[in-house]
Structures are given as C-alpha cells and as structure tokens.
Amino acid sequence: MAYTELIKNFERIRDYMREFYVYGFKSRDEYDKKSARSYDNERRRIESYLGEYMGFHQSEKGKNVFLSIDSRSVSHNPLYSVLKSKSFTDGDITLHFILFDILHSPEVALSLSDITAKIDSEYLSSFSEPMVFDESTVRKKLKEYVASGQWNVTGSAYENGDVNVPSPEALFRNILLGNNYFEKNFGKRSCDIFLPDCFGFGYALPSIMRHANLKGFTTQKLTWGSAYGVPFDIGKWYGVDGNYVYANTNPRSYDKTLTKVRENEDVVKKLNENEQYSLNMTAIFHGVGDRGGAPKEPSVKTVCDEIKLNDTSDIEVLSAPADKIFHDIDALPEDIKQKLPVWNNELVMTNHAVGGYTSRAVGKRWNRRNEEIADMAERACVTATAICGYEYPQETLTRAWKRVIAHQFHDDLPGTSVQRAYRRSWNDYAMSLNQFTNEYEGAAKSIASNLDTSFVKGVAVVVNNPMEYERTGVVTVKIPSNLCGRNMTVLDKEE
C-alpha cells in the first residue's frame, strides 16, 4: 500500500528533516536565516532532495504539498540524499541506521563491545563492500546522540548497585567512576542517583550524594514494601549530616506502557498532591525496567502525541531525562523550595528486602574485607608516594575497586542471584583482595625501608597501624630461622 502524507504548513516534513540534522520546510515568516531569498533557496534545496516523492495540489486556500512514497517500490531511504548532502559519509549513515535498529528493542541491554561485535557479525557481513566500525567510532556516534539530546546520561554511578551494605567510600567511588566515564565518553555528567530497583536506601545516602555534588534521587521501589511507606511524591530527603537532596519517590511502575498522560489517574493524583506545596510538576516512569532497553513504541507514541498538544493545554508534557526535574526544582524561588515536604530518616524495605541484608553472608564478608584492605592500601600508597617517591598504583587500585563495585549490584551483594553468579563474584572478591593486599604490602615496605632505625639494637620490626587512632593489639612477626635462639628478647618502649 502506498504511503501518502499531506504536509500542512510544512510541519511534518520539518520534523523529518530535523531528525536528520537538516531544517525542513518553513513559511517565510518562520524562517529567520537572513532574507526571503535565502528562504527560497532553502525551500528549493529540500525540494531537490525529495522532489521525486513530492506532489502538489492547488486548492482555494492555496498550494498544498504532500509526500507520496510507495514502500513496495522504494529501494532506499528517501532521506538518504539529505543525509549525504550534509557531508556525512556512507559509513556515518550506515552506522546511524544500524545503531537504531539494534537499540530500538526494549529487550536490548548491550555493552559497547557487544554492540560492535553485533554490528560486525549481523550487519556488515551483508554488505558487498567491506566496512569496519571499531569501538572508538561507535563511541563517537553515541556521543553525538548525547550532545544532540537524543540520548541522555543518568544515574551518575558505575554500577546500579545496592546502597545499604557498601561502605560510604565504595559509594563515593561508584559515583566518581560513573560520572567520570560519562564525562570522558559523552562530555556530560549526571546530577542524580537513579535506582528504580534496589532493596531499600540508607540514611547516609543523601549525605553522600550532596558531598558528591549530586542534586536528586529517584526510585519506584518504595511501593514494594517500604518500612515507612512512600513519604511523598516529590520532596527533600535529608541525610545524617543535615544535607539533603531532592527525591522523586513515587514515579510509578517502570514496566507500564502509557496510553495517556494528562488524563492518567496517577499523574492527576500526583499533581494535586504537589499543589499543596506550590509545586506545579511531577514525573513518571514508562517503559521496560529491570532489563535495560527502552519504552515500547506505543508508549513513546502516546508521549509524542501528548507533547503535540502542549500549545493548546494548560499541562505541559515533556519527554525528559530523569534528572531534569531536579534541575527545574533547583531553579525555583527559595520560598517554594522551602515548602517542599521533608523526609529525615532511612528508607529501608520490609518483606522484599530483609533477606537481602543477611543472605549469602560470605559474600558480604568478602565485600567488607575488600573495602577494609582497599582503605589500608590507599592510605599506605598515598603516604609512600608523598614521602618516598613511590609510584602510586592508580590503575591497579581502580581495576580492583571496579571489580568489587561491580558485585555490589543490587541483585548480587544482597544475595538474590543464582548460585552461578556467586561462583564468579566470590572469585572476583579473591582477585581484588590479592591486588589490594599486594599494593598494601608494597607501599608499607617502601615506607619501612625509608625509616631511620639506626637507634635500634638488633633487628628492627616496623609495625603499620592503618587506623587513624592509636590502638593496642596482637602483632604476629615471622622471624628468619637464622635469628632464632635463646638470646631473643621482645621489649616494649618502657623497657
């Protein structure tokens, strides 16, 4: 069946062109690039792109322009010439359509290397002309989408992890690793923690977030059995040190396909609730959560259709990244922000989560041991670098930390994964423990070898206390066999 679309006031074709970086038809009044003559030139240019697909009607109201494309006879994308005319190479165009074909499905959750391998094995093999896309090329293309607003970074963290069992140091590193990655690869940083699925949220989290320069927190998990219920729709969540972040604690389910927005009962209820605090906004989820991917097409279409009604409605609908609402709230007058509801406590879970605080205890023990040894290693390495010229092992420590943080995933560390997952995580814990221990020992030896022990009679034994306070405890020393004998004596400083 032939596809025919009437273009009223050129709005439809403009949408097509904007999608591919080129302005579409505009009326002379709308065109603000130089003169009316420039407008005529642009109009003719676009007609040249799509001339064979365009038709014209003359009516009492004037000239109508429409597109007529028969999918049965069209062998290539009609907008191909538009893309190529803007100095895009064949590779750029090919990669654009392959990426969107791979990533359109809600079921897709792929790493950069997975995407590159999929392109090579499932797409490029069909081309008669050889073509290769490496990870760097794919990353640059994705960066373009982020810069244009087609893709967004969110959540700040390296791993969508548990926030109850990990130490504050681990949570800080998770945020730093994530936002540094975003900035390096996409030129943007996120300002929020985005945890739709996590088994409760500790009292320290808002404090950690503020110290990490983040503004907002989003979850829908509290409806699954919060110990305190859902405190509010949008409000301020205070941490243990008196700092707060904005919190979106009731964005509704992450696995719904929207059929309406303005008349959605949840949206209406949330807006009415927020009016009590002079807040004229809310936010909801849609799509497929827990597996990666994106909202389904009917849900996206619903949102797009509702956005088109913004000019005629007193409710504005936006398709926005999760952190936009926090930027918008932060820009509000102080008197409105002071009215926002407050939660000053933890947000732990009940039936859905209590097992996650205790299950697979050996994994929790090894996680904690890694955090302890990592702290000791870093203190020793920083000291050795500062006073001994020791080369700080940045790459090794970061790699070991990444491995530990990866297993702080909210279905791993809490103990809710299958046994096969734990065989891998326990192995990784052991690897990181060895790396942290080796770096700790290396730095401690460097410090010890630079200490002046000339005042010691006999063999000096150097003991390192990694704590920030004096303490007593048992020290185990391995003595070489050639030093063992009757004349060995251990003295404390008072003797």
PDB file of all heavy atoms in Angstrom, residues 407-435:
ATOM      1  N   HIS A 407      30.196  -6.096  41.776  1.00  0.00           N
ATOM      2  CA  HIS A 407      29.447  -7.114  42.515  1.00  0.00           C
ATOM      3  C   HIS A 407      28.621  -6.523  43.653  1.00  0.00           C
ATOM      4  O   HIS A 407      27.968  -7.266  44.386  1.00  0.00           O
ATOM      5  CB  HIS A 407      30.393  -8.194  43.023  1.00  0.00           C
ATOM      6  CG  HIS A 407      30.965  -9.027  41.915  1.00  0.00           C
ATOM      7  ND1 HIS A 407      30.179  -9.832  41.116  1.00  0.00           N
ATOM      8  CD2 HIS A 407      32.237  -9.135  41.442  1.00  0.00           C
ATOM      9  CE1 HIS A 407      30.947 -10.428  40.215  1.00  0.00           C
ATOM     10  NE2 HIS A 407      32.189 -10.019  40.384  1.00  0.00           N
ATOM     11  N   GLN A 408      28.623  -5.211  43.776  1.00  0.00           N
ATOM     12  CA  GLN A 408      27.687  -4.542  44.678  1.00  0.00           C
ATOM     13  C   GLN A 408      26.359  -4.270  43.971  1.00  0.00           C
ATOM     14  O   GLN A 408      25.475  -3.617  44.534  1.00  0.00           O
ATOM     15  CB  GLN A 408      28.310  -3.241  45.210  1.00  0.00           C
ATOM     16  CG  GLN A 408      29.468  -3.520  46.148  1.00  0.00           C
ATOM     17  CD  GLN A 408      30.188  -2.273  46.622  1.00  0.00           C
ATOM     18  OE1 GLN A 408      29.983  -1.179  46.101  1.00  0.00           O
ATOM     19  NE2 GLN A 408      31.044  -2.419  47.630  1.00  0.00           N
ATOM     20  N   PHE A 409      26.231  -4.794  42.764  1.00  0.00           N
ATOM     21  CA  PHE A 409      24.968  -4.774  42.013  1.00  0.00           C
ATOM     22  C   PHE A 409      23.818  -5.222  42.928  1.00  0.00           C
ATOM     23  O   PHE A 409      23.977  -6.122  43.741  1.00  0.00           O
ATOM     24  CB  PHE A 409      25.100  -5.696  40.808  1.00  0.00           C
ATOM     25  CG  PHE A 409      23.809  -5.927  40.063  1.00  0.00           C
ATOM     26  CD1 PHE A 409      23.109  -4.879  39.495  1.00  0.00           C
ATOM     27  CD2 PHE A 409      23.299  -7.210  39.930  1.00  0.00           C
ATOM     28  CE1 PHE A 409      21.927  -5.099  38.816  1.00  0.00           C
ATOM     29  CE2 PHE A 409      22.120  -7.444  39.244  1.00  0.00           C
ATOM     30  CZ  PHE A 409      21.429  -6.372  38.690  1.00  0.00           C
ATOM     31  N   HIS A 410      22.655  -4.606  42.783  1.00  0.00           N
ATOM     32  CA  HIS A 410      21.591  -4.799  43.777  1.00  0.00           C
ATOM     33  C   HIS A 410      20.989  -6.206  43.793  1.00  0.00           C
ATOM     34  O   HIS A 410      20.227  -6.524  44.711  1.00  0.00           O
ATOM     35  CB  HIS A 410      20.478  -3.765  43.561  1.00  0.00           C
ATOM     36  CG  HIS A 410      19.636  -4.024  42.352  1.00  0.00           C
ATOM     37  ND1 HIS A 410      19.907  -3.474  41.120  1.00  0.00           N
ATOM     38  CD2 HIS A 410      18.515  -4.773  42.189  1.00  0.00           C
ATOM     39  CE1 HIS A 410      18.996  -3.878  40.247  1.00  0.00           C
ATOM     40  NE2 HIS A 410      18.143  -4.670  40.874  1.00  0.00           N
ATOM     41  N   ASP A 411      21.312  -7.051  42.830  1.00  0.00           N
ATOM     42  CA  ASP A 411      20.879  -8.451  42.893  1.00  0.00           C
ATOM     43  C   ASP A 411      22.048  -9.396  43.136  1.00  0.00           C
ATOM     44  O   ASP A 411      21.876 -10.613  43.074  1.00  0.00           O
ATOM     45  CB  ASP A 411      20.167  -8.850  41.599  1.00  0.00           C
ATOM     46  CG  ASP A 411      18.691  -8.510  41.622  1.00  0.00           C
ATOM     47  OD1 ASP A 411      18.085  -8.626  42.692  1.00  0.00           O
ATOM     48  OD2 ASP A 411      18.149  -8.116  40.578  1.00  0.00           O
ATOM     49  N   ASP A 412      23.226  -8.847  43.423  1.00  0.00           N
ATOM     50  CA  ASP A 412      24.413  -9.668  43.659  1.00  0.00           C
ATOM     51  C   ASP A 412      24.783  -9.632  45.138  1.00  0.00           C
ATOM     52  O   ASP A 412      24.560 -10.603  45.870  1.00  0.00           O
ATOM     53  CB  ASP A 412      25.561  -9.143  42.793  1.00  0.00           C
ATOM     54  CG  ASP A 412      26.777 -10.056  42.799  1.00  0.00           C
ATOM     55  OD1 ASP A 412      26.981 -10.780  43.781  1.00  0.00           O
ATOM     56  OD2 ASP A 412      27.552 -10.036  41.814  1.00  0.00           O
ATOM     57  N   LEU A 413      25.304  -8.516  45.607  1.00  0.00           N
ATOM     58  CA  LEU A 413      25.708  -8.398  47.005  1.00  0.00           C
ATOM     59  C   LEU A 413      24.575  -8.700  48.001  1.00  0.00           C
ATOM     60  O   LEU A 413      24.811  -9.363  49.015  1.00  0.00           O
ATOM     61  CB  LEU A 413      26.276  -7.003  47.252  1.00  0.00           C
ATOM     62  CG  LEU A 413      26.798  -6.715  48.658  1.00  0.00           C
ATOM     63  CD1 LEU A 413      27.896  -7.689  49.052  1.00  0.00           C
ATOM     64  CD2 LEU A 413      27.309  -5.278  48.755  1.00  0.00           C
ATOM     65  N   PRO A 414      23.322  -8.268  47.769  1.00  0.00           N
ATOM     66  CA  PRO A 414      22.254  -8.601  48.721  1.00  0.00           C
ATOM     67  C   PRO A 414      21.955 -10.086  48.831  1.00  0.00           C
ATOM     68  O   PRO A 414      21.312 -10.509  49.784  1.00  0.00           O
ATOM     69  CB  PRO A 414      21.047  -7.827  48.176  1.00  0.00           C
ATOM     70  CG  PRO A 414      21.645  -6.687  47.427  1.00  0.00           C
ATOM     71  CD  PRO A 414      22.872  -7.261  46.784  1.00  0.00           C
ATOM     72  N   GLY A 415      22.360 -10.881  47.832  1.00  0.00           N
ATOM     73  CA  GLY A 415      22.160 -12.323  47.935  1.00  0.00           C
ATOM     74  C   GLY A 415      20.963 -12.849  47.183  1.00  0.00           C
ATOM     75  O   GLY A 415      20.433 -13.908  47.532  1.00  0.00           O
ATOM     76  N   THR A 416      20.512 -12.157  46.137  1.00  0.00           N
ATOM     77  CA  THR A 416      19.300 -12.571  45.426  1.00  0.00           C
ATOM     78  C   THR A 416      19.595 -13.104  44.028  1.00  0.00           C
ATOM     79  O   THR A 416      18.696 -13.167  43.188  1.00  0.00           O
ATOM     80  CB  THR A 416      18.319 -11.388  45.331  1.00  0.00           C
ATOM     81  OG1 THR A 416      18.994 -10.248  44.784  1.00  0.00           O
ATOM     82  CG2 THR A 416      17.777 -11.025  46.688  1.00  0.00           C
ATOM     83  N   SER A 417      20.840 -13.486  43.757  1.00  0.00           N
ATOM     84  CA  SER A 417      21.191 -14.046  42.456  1.00  0.00           C
ATOM     85  C   SER A 417      21.249 -15.574  42.515  1.00  0.00           C
ATOM     86  O   SER A 417      21.123 -16.169  43.577  1.00  0.00           O
ATOM     87  CB  SER A 417      22.535 -13.493  41.982  1.00  0.00           C
ATOM     88  OG  SER A 417      22.436 -12.142  41.620  1.00  0.00           O
ATOM     89  N   VAL A 418      21.480 -16.186  41.361  1.00  0.00           N
ATOM     90  CA  VAL A 418      21.607 -17.640  41.291  1.00  0.00           C
ATOM     91  C   VAL A 418      23.023 -18.047  41.703  1.00  0.00           C
ATOM     92  O   VAL A 418      23.950 -17.231  41.704  1.00  0.00           O
ATOM     93  CB  VAL A 418      21.299 -18.151  39.870  1.00  0.00           C
ATOM     94  CG1 VAL A 418      19.856 -17.863  39.508  1.00  0.00           C
ATOM     95  CG2 VAL A 418      22.241 -17.516  38.845  1.00  0.00           C
ATOM     96  N   GLN A 419      23.204 -19.333  42.037  1.00  0.00           N
ATOM     97  CA  GLN A 419      24.492 -19.810  42.546  1.00  0.00           C
ATOM     98  C   GLN A 419      25.622 -19.563  41.548  1.00  0.00           C
ATOM     99  O   GLN A 419      26.754 -19.249  41.934  1.00  0.00           O
ATOM    100  CB  GLN A 419      24.402 -21.304  42.867  1.00  0.00           C
ATOM    101  CG  GLN A 419      25.687 -21.899  43.426  1.00  0.00           C
ATOM    102  CD  GLN A 419      26.104 -21.239  44.733  1.00  0.00           C
ATOM    103  OE1 GLN A 419      25.249 -20.882  45.537  1.00  0.00           O
ATOM    104  NE2 GLN A 419      27.408 -21.084  44.939  1.00  0.00           N
ATOM    105  N   ARG A 420      25.321 -19.675  40.268  1.00  0.00           N
ATOM    106  CA  ARG A 420      26.363 -19.486  39.254  1.00  0.00           C
ATOM    107  C   ARG A 420      26.972 -18.081  39.352  1.00  0.00           C
ATOM    108  O   ARG A 420      28.182 -17.902  39.151  1.00  0.00           O
ATOM    109  CB  ARG A 420      25.766 -19.714  37.862  1.00  0.00           C
ATOM    110  CG  ARG A 420      26.766 -19.589  36.728  1.00  0.00           C
ATOM    111  CD  ARG A 420      26.086 -19.873  35.405  1.00  0.00           C
ATOM    112  NE  ARG A 420      26.999 -19.719  34.282  1.00  0.00           N
ATOM    113  CZ  ARG A 420      26.652 -19.836  33.006  1.00  0.00           C
ATOM    114  NH1 ARG A 420      25.391 -20.152  32.703  1.00  0.00           N
ATOM    115  NH2 ARG A 420      27.530 -19.677  32.046  1.00  0.00           N
ATOM    116  N   ALA A 421      26.139 -17.094  39.657  1.00  0.00           N
ATOM    117  CA  ALA A 421      26.628 -15.715  39.784  1.00  0.00           C
ATOM    118  C   ALA A 421      27.596 -15.591  40.949  1.00  0.00           C
ATOM    119  O   ALA A 421      28.570 -14.825  40.887  1.00  0.00           O
ATOM    120  CB  ALA A 421      25.456 -14.759  39.969  1.00  0.00           C
ATOM    121  N   TYR A 422      27.365 -16.352  42.014  1.00  0.00           N
ATOM    122  CA  TYR A 422      28.223 -16.232  43.197  1.00  0.00           C
ATOM    123  C   TYR A 422      29.561 -16.925  43.014  1.00  0.00           C
ATOM    124  O   TYR A 422      30.568 -16.503  43.611  1.00  0.00           O
ATOM    125  CB  TYR A 422      27.476 -16.718  44.441  1.00  0.00           C
ATOM    126  CG  TYR A 422      26.375 -15.752  44.758  1.00  0.00           C
ATOM    127  CD1 TYR A 422      25.046 -16.054  44.469  1.00  0.00           C
ATOM    128  CD2 TYR A 422      26.674 -14.483  45.229  1.00  0.00           C
ATOM    129  CE1 TYR A 422      24.048 -15.133  44.684  1.00  0.00           C
ATOM    130  CE2 TYR A 422      25.683 -13.553  45.447  1.00  0.00           C
ATOM    131  CZ  TYR A 422      24.371 -13.883  45.174  1.00  0.00           C
ATOM    132  OH  TYR A 422      23.392 -12.952  45.371  1.00  0.00           O
ATOM    133  N   ARG A 423      29.598 -17.943  42.211  1.00  0.00           N
ATOM    134  CA  ARG A 423      30.898 -18.548  41.914  1.00  0.00           C
ATOM    135  C   ARG A 423      31.807 -17.516  41.261  1.00  0.00           C
ATOM    136  O   ARG A 423      33.012 -17.459  41.514  1.00  0.00           O
ATOM    137  CB  ARG A 423      30.725 -19.782  41.023  1.00  0.00           C
ATOM    138  CG  ARG A 423      30.151 -20.986  41.744  1.00  0.00           C
ATOM    139  CD  ARG A 423      30.394 -22.265  40.972  1.00  0.00           C
ATOM    140  NE  ARG A 423      29.656 -22.308  39.720  1.00  0.00           N
ATOM    141  CZ  ARG A 423      28.428 -22.807  39.592  1.00  0.00           C
ATOM    142  NH1 ARG A 423      27.801 -23.298  40.660  1.00  0.00           N
ATOM    143  NH2 ARG A 423      27.807 -22.825  38.440  1.00  0.00           N
ATOM    144  N   ARG A 424      31.217 -16.697  40.428  1.00  0.00           N
ATOM    145  CA  ARG A 424      32.002 -15.657  39.755  1.00  0.00           C
ATOM    146  C   ARG A 424      32.349 -14.519  40.724  1.00  0.00           C
ATOM    147  O   ARG A 424      33.492 -14.062  40.760  1.00  0.00           O
ATOM    148  CB  ARG A 424      31.217 -15.092  38.569  1.00  0.00           C
ATOM    149  CG  ARG A 424      31.929 -13.957  37.856  1.00  0.00           C
ATOM    150  CD  ARG A 424      31.128 -13.469  36.666  1.00  0.00           C
ATOM    151  NE  ARG A 424      31.768 -12.332  36.038  1.00  0.00           N
ATOM    152  CZ  ARG A 424      31.274 -11.679  34.998  1.00  0.00           C
ATOM    153  NH1 ARG A 424      30.132 -12.063  34.462  1.00  0.00           N
ATOM    154  NH2 ARG A 424      31.923 -10.654  34.481  1.00  0.00           N
ATOM    155  N   SER A 425      31.376 -14.063  41.503  1.00  0.00           N
ATOM    156  CA  SER A 425      31.634 -12.926  42.381  1.00  0.00           C
ATOM    157  C   SER A 425      32.645 -13.282  43.466  1.00  0.00           C
ATOM    158  O   SER A 425      33.531 -12.480  43.798  1.00  0.00           O
ATOM    159  CB  SER A 425      30.332 -12.409  43.000  1.00  0.00           C
ATOM    160  OG  SER A 425      29.741 -13.367  43.848  1.00  0.00           O
ATOM    161  N   TRP A 426      32.547 -14.489  44.034  1.00  0.00           N
ATOM    162  CA  TRP A 426      33.495 -14.875  45.074  1.00  0.00           C
ATOM    163  C   TRP A 426      34.910 -14.979  44.498  1.00  0.00           C
ATOM    164  O   TRP A 426      35.885 -14.635  45.167  1.00  0.00           O
ATOM    165  CB  TRP A 426      33.065 -16.195  45.710  1.00  0.00           C
ATOM    166  CG  TRP A 426      31.751 -16.090  46.449  1.00  0.00           C
ATOM    167  CD1 TRP A 426      31.152 -14.929  46.877  1.00  0.00           C
ATOM    168  CD2 TRP A 426      30.890 -17.153  46.836  1.00  0.00           C
ATOM    169  NE1 TRP A 426      29.961 -15.204  47.497  1.00  0.00           N
ATOM    170  CE2 TRP A 426      29.768 -16.571  47.495  1.00  0.00           C
ATOM    171  CE3 TRP A 426      30.921 -18.537  46.697  1.00  0.00           C
ATOM    172  CZ2 TRP A 426      28.715 -17.314  47.999  1.00  0.00           C
ATOM    173  CZ3 TRP A 426      29.881 -19.294  47.207  1.00  0.00           C
ATOM    174  CH2 TRP A 426      28.787 -18.682  47.859  1.00  0.00           C
ATOM    175  N   ASN A 427      35.025 -15.454  43.272  1.00  0.00           N
ATOM    176  CA  ASN A 427      36.332 -15.498  42.619  1.00  0.00           C
ATOM    177  C   ASN A 427      36.888 -14.090  42.434  1.00  0.00           C
ATOM    178  O   ASN A 427      38.078 -13.830  42.683  1.00  0.00           O
ATOM    179  CB  ASN A 427      36.207 -16.199  41.268  1.00  0.00           C
ATOM    180  CG  ASN A 427      37.533 -16.257  40.524  1.00  0.00           C
ATOM    181  OD1 ASN A 427      38.435 -16.994  40.903  1.00  0.00           O
ATOM    182  ND2 ASN A 427      37.648 -15.459  39.461  1.00  0.00           N
ATOM    183  N   ASP A 428      36.028 -13.165  42.025  1.00  0.00           N
ATOM    184  CA  ASP A 428      36.462 -11.780  41.814  1.00  0.00           C
ATOM    185  C   ASP A 428      36.846 -11.107  43.123  1.00  0.00           C
ATOM    186  O   ASP A 428      37.792 -10.315  43.178  1.00  0.00           O
ATOM    187  CB  ASP A 428      35.364 -10.972  41.118  1.00  0.00           C
ATOM    188  CG  ASP A 428      35.271 -11.276  39.630  1.00  0.00           C
ATOM    189  OD1 ASP A 428      36.162 -11.982  39.122  1.00  0.00           O
ATOM    190  OD2 ASP A 428      34.314 -10.811  38.984  1.00  0.00           O
ATOM    191  N   TYR A 429      36.109 -11.406  44.203  1.00  0.00           N
ATOM    192  CA  TYR A 429      36.485 -10.857  45.507  1.00  0.00           C
ATOM    193  C   TYR A 429      37.909 -11.292  45.865  1.00  0.00           C
ATOM    194  O   TYR A 429      38.712 -10.487  46.366  1.00  0.00           O
ATOM    195  CB  TYR A 429      35.523 -11.342  46.596  1.00  0.00           C
ATOM    196  CG  TYR A 429      34.169 -10.691  46.592  1.00  0.00           C
ATOM    197  CD1 TYR A 429      33.006 -11.440  46.832  1.00  0.00           C
ATOM    198  CD2 TYR A 429      34.028  -9.317  46.384  1.00  0.00           C
ATOM    199  CE1 TYR A 429      31.753 -10.841  46.847  1.00  0.00           C
ATOM    200  CE2 TYR A 429      32.774  -8.717  46.395  1.00  0.00           C
ATOM    201  CZ  TYR A 429      31.633  -9.489  46.632  1.00  0.00           C
ATOM    202  OH  TYR A 429      30.410  -8.893  46.643  1.00  0.00           O
ATOM    203  N   ALA A 430      38.216 -12.568  45.638  1.00  0.00           N
ATOM    204  CA  ALA A 430      39.545 -13.079  45.975  1.00  0.00           C
ATOM    205  C   ALA A 430      40.621 -12.388  45.133  1.00  0.00           C
ATOM    206  O   ALA A 430      41.705 -12.045  45.647  1.00  0.00           O
ATOM    207  CB  ALA A 430      39.593 -14.592  45.753  1.00  0.00           C
ATOM    208  N   MET A 431      40.336 -12.161  43.857  1.00  0.00           N
ATOM    209  CA  MET A 431      41.306 -11.483  42.986  1.00  0.00           C
ATOM    210  C   MET A 431      41.581 -10.070  43.484  1.00  0.00           C
ATOM    211  O   MET A 431      42.742  -9.631  43.564  1.00  0.00           O
ATOM    212  CB  MET A 431      40.775 -11.443  41.556  1.00  0.00           C
ATOM    213  CG  MET A 431      40.743 -12.777  40.854  1.00  0.00           C
ATOM    214  SD  MET A 431      39.994 -12.676  39.210  1.00  0.00           S
ATOM    215  CE  MET A 431      41.131 -11.581  38.380  1.00  0.00           C
ATOM    216  N   SER A 432      40.510  -9.331  43.821  1.00  0.00           N
ATOM    217  CA  SER A 432      40.706  -7.959  44.295  1.00  0.00           C
ATOM    218  C   SER A 432      41.403  -7.932  45.647  1.00  0.00           C
ATOM    219  O   SER A 432      42.238  -7.054  45.907  1.00  0.00           O
ATOM    220  CB  SER A 432      39.356  -7.230  44.367  1.00  0.00           C
ATOM    221  OG  SER A 432      38.866  -6.949  43.075  1.00  0.00           O
ATOM    222  N   LEU A 433      41.069  -8.887  46.525  1.00  0.00           N
ATOM    223  CA  LEU A 433      41.760  -8.969  47.818  1.00  0.00           C
ATOM    224  C   LEU A 433      43.267  -9.131  47.621  1.00  0.00           C
ATOM    225  O   LEU A 433      44.068  -8.481  48.316  1.00  0.00           O
ATOM    226  CB  LEU A 433      41.216 -10.148  48.628  1.00  0.00           C
ATOM    227  CG  LEU A 433      39.995  -9.905  49.496  1.00  0.00           C
ATOM    228  CD1 LEU A 433      39.482 -11.221  50.081  1.00  0.00           C
ATOM    229  CD2 LEU A 433      40.297  -8.921  50.625  1.00  0.00           C
ATOM    230  N   ASN A 434      43.644  -9.987  46.684  1.00  0.00           N
ATOM    231  CA  ASN A 434      45.069 -10.191  46.415  1.00  0.00           C
ATOM    232  C   ASN A 434      45.717  -8.914  45.892  1.00  0.00           C
ATOM    233  O   ASN A 434      46.835  -8.558  46.281  1.00  0.00           O
ATOM    234  CB  ASN A 434      45.263 -11.330  45.410  1.00  0.00           C
ATOM    235  CG  ASN A 434      45.021 -12.694  46.036  1.00  0.00           C
ATOM    236  OD1 ASN A 434      45.192 -12.868  47.236  1.00  0.00           O
ATOM    237  ND2 ASN A 434      44.609 -13.648  45.219  1.00  0.00           N
ATOM    238  N   GLN A 435      45.019  -8.217  44.995  1.00  0.00           N
ATOM    239  CA  GLN A 435      45.582  -6.983  44.439  1.00  0.00           C
ATOM    240  C   GLN A 435      45.736  -5.913  45.511  1.00  0.00           C
ATOM    241  O   GLN A 435      46.787  -5.268  45.618  1.00  0.00           O
ATOM    242  CB  GLN A 435      44.700  -6.465  43.301  1.00  0.00           C
ATOM    243  CG  GLN A 435      44.809  -7.285  42.030  1.00  0.00           C
ATOM    244  CD  GLN A 435      43.949  -6.713  40.908  1.00  0.00           C
ATOM    245  OE1 GLN A 435      42.734  -6.573  41.052  1.00  0.00           O
ATOM    246  NE2 GLN A 435      44.569  -6.392  39.798  1.00  0.00           N
TER     247      GLN A 435
END
